[in-house]
Amino acid sequence: MNLILLGPPGAGKGTQAEGIAKKRGLIQLSTGDMLRAAVKAGTPIGQEASAIMEAGGLVPDHIVIKIIAERIAQPDCVKGFILDGFPRTLKQASALDELLSSQGKKIDAVVELRVNDAELLARIEKRARETIAAGGVPRADDKPETAKNRLWAYYRETAPLTGYYFAKGKLHSLDGMAPIGEVGAQLDTVLSGLAAP
Ligand code: AMP
């Protein structure tokens, strides 16, 4: 089963993707995590992405498409994957379709997590506060101004993907305002419905 989790920053995509990946034996593919690892390792991609990420913008399509194409080609992805944070633009979505169809694969479902804007910003602030309280260093892009830029990038570039996948008959929308466990249960119901004959 190959899935996409869609939703604005702070909607809970990472948390839910991790839960489903564990429960269903899927590989979680988060371009945000991959880019943060590249920044930390100081690779050429990391150097190019670093300032863009810190400003809350989107890393150029050709970079993230290349990262995902290489990762999906790895043997462990044969058992199925869940994309979290990719695609984020229509160009990325159509590149993904081409990539998968060239390998005889497809996306089985796209699940959108809907959360209201004020709640998103509050969640991101809370995540930063909790990380600091636990003695850690919060994500550079969790600063309030940057979080707003990320939200704006979502509406400008990523929100049209709900229409793209609705038109393909793949979109499922869930109430991402519900508690984490409830969202997980709703997600599970959607996925179990897909597996039915
Ligand atoms: P995330 O962890 O998914 O919130 O991603 C953190 C940051 O990484 C984003 O704000 C972007 O700067 C960058 N990023 C992650 N995935 C993508 C993508 N698919 N396209 C462009 N930029 C991305």
Side-chain angles (χ1 to χ4, degrees), residues 55 142-150:
D142 274 352
K143 290 188 201 100
E145 269 322 295
T146 314
K148 279 186 199 150
N149 287 344
R150 288 163 61 206

Side-chain angles (χ1 to χ4, degrees), residues 137-191:
V137 179
R139 277 174 51 166
D141 60 357
D142 274 352
K143 290 188 201 100
E145 269 322 295
T146 314
K148 279 186 199 150
N149 287 344
R150 288 163 61 206
L151 191 54
W152 172 226
Y154 174 80
Y155 283 118
R156 204 176 51 233
E157 306 278 356
T158 313
L161 295 186
T162 54
Y164 179 84
Y165 289 115
F166 175 79
K168 288 178 178 284
K170 300 205 179 208
L171 188 72
H172 302 261
S173 275
L174 297 185
D175 174 14
M177 298 288 286
I180 292 176
E182 265 177 49
V183 178
Q186 288 180 47
L187 195 44
D188 221 31
T189 306
V190 167
L191 301 184

Side-chain angles (χ1 to χ4, degrees), residues 9 13 30-33 35-36 52-53 56-61 64 84-89 92 127 139 141 150:
K13 298 186 298 296
S30 156
T31 38
D33 286 349
L35 288 166
R36 278 185 288 279
I52 300 169
M53 291 171 74
L58 291 187
V59 173
D61 288 331
V64 282
D84 136 31
F86 182 95
R88 261 178 157 98
T89 64
Q92 292 175 24
R127 175 164 72 187
R139 277 174 51 166
D141 60 357
R150 288 163 61 206

Side-chain angles (χ1 to χ4, degrees), residues 16-37:
Q16 295 300 338
E18 199 182 328
I20 303 170
K22 271 203 197 112
K23 184 158 185 195
R24 299 191 175 248
L26 304 175
I27 298 292
Q28 182 185 355
L29 302 178
S30 156
T31 38
D33 286 349
M34 294 175 202
L35 288 166
R36 278 185 288 279

